[in-house]
Amino acid sequence: MHASNFSYVDTVVATEALSGEEEAMWRAFVEVLTRLPRALDEQFNRETGLTMTEYSVLVALSEAADHELRISELADVTALSRSRISRVVDDMGRRLLVTRRKCQTDARSSFAVLTDDGLRALESAYPGHLARVRRLVLDHLTKSEVRTFTHAFGRVAEVLRGDLAGD
């Protein structure tokens, strides 16, 4: 579409408006997306010296076979770009939370490997993280709402994973 043929008004009119209920849900969702990571990250960093991104890396590595993942897989699991996850792994490596190991079969690839210090940091951070998740989110939802959110967000996450992969 050429810029001269583009009409914001025509595009907005042609796009189905959100219902009042959809608009309210969307605005609440965007507010949670904005406020929750900051609330979790600030308290997390203050209490543990970790960021939520670093915590996510530690969790992913702790759940992986042999506590290691290819950098590209770690990027996918944490929803970070490859350059961003590489910087995070390098920073965590300087703090001895992870190490980087070259792939024996592909010189272009490397693995992030969870260290004993990284596992201890994760184990230390976990109880506080659970308490914050309960206090900020789960304590305000019924069991039925948790099931509904799990199902709904799971579907949205699946769409996003495909969309980000270029599907």
Side-chain angles (χ1 to χ4, degrees):
M1 176 181 281
H2 297 311
S4 60
N5 295 336
F6 178 78
S7 168
Y8 178 77
V9 172
D10 290 341
T11 302
V12 171
V13 170
T15 304
E16 184 181 345
L18 298 178
S19 69
E21 187 173 37
E22 289 171 330
E23 180 75 23
M25 184 282 303
W26 180 248
R27 286 177 184 244
F29 184 67
V30 168
E31 184 172 359
V32 168
L33 286 176
T34 304
R35 292 180 186 273
L36 184 61
R38 187 175 352 159
L40 289 172
D41 210 38
E42 286 173 358
Q43 187 171 8
F44 214 87
N45 197 287
R46 200 171 42 251
E47 292 176 4
T48 68
L50 296 170
T51 65
M52 279 300 302
T53 298
E54 292 167 337
Y55 181 78
S56 296
V57 167
L58 294 176
V59 168
L61 292 174
S62 76
E63 294 173 345
D66 298 324
H67 291 173
E68 66 179 34
L69 286 170
R70 282 183 190 266
I71 297 295
S72 59
E73 292 172 312
L74 188 57
D76 291 341
V77 169
T78 58
L80 296 173
S81 69
R82 293 199 178 151
S83 62
R84 176 75 177 118
I85 197 63
S86 188
R87 288 191 303 272
V88 169
V89 167
D90 288 345
D91 183 52
M92 293 175 75
R94 284 189 286 279
R95 293 169 29 225
L96 306 178
L97 300 172
V98 300
T99 59
R100 190 186 280 256
R101 180 177 66 77
K102 288 286 184 190
C103 179
Q104 300 293 337
T105 59
D106 182 357
R108 298 169 298 162
S109 289
S110 61
F111 289 85
V113 183
L114 183 65
T115 65
D116 290 341
D117 285 348
L119 186 58
R120 278 191 292 277
L122 176 62
E123 290 169 345
S124 175
Y126 186 67
H129 176 63
L130 288 182
R132 280 187 299 285
V133 168
R134 287 198 179 284
R135 181 177 57 81
L136 295 173
V137 179
L138 297 174
D139 289 349
H140 307 284
L141 302 172
T142 66
K143 287 182 181 184
S144 175
E145 289 168 330
V146 169
R147 283 191 297 276
T148 299
F149 276 124
T150 300
H151 181 70
F153 288 157
R155 288 194 328 260
V156 172
E158 188 174 318
V159 168
L160 293 171
R161 281 190 297 270
D163 194 52
L164 291 173
D167 291 348

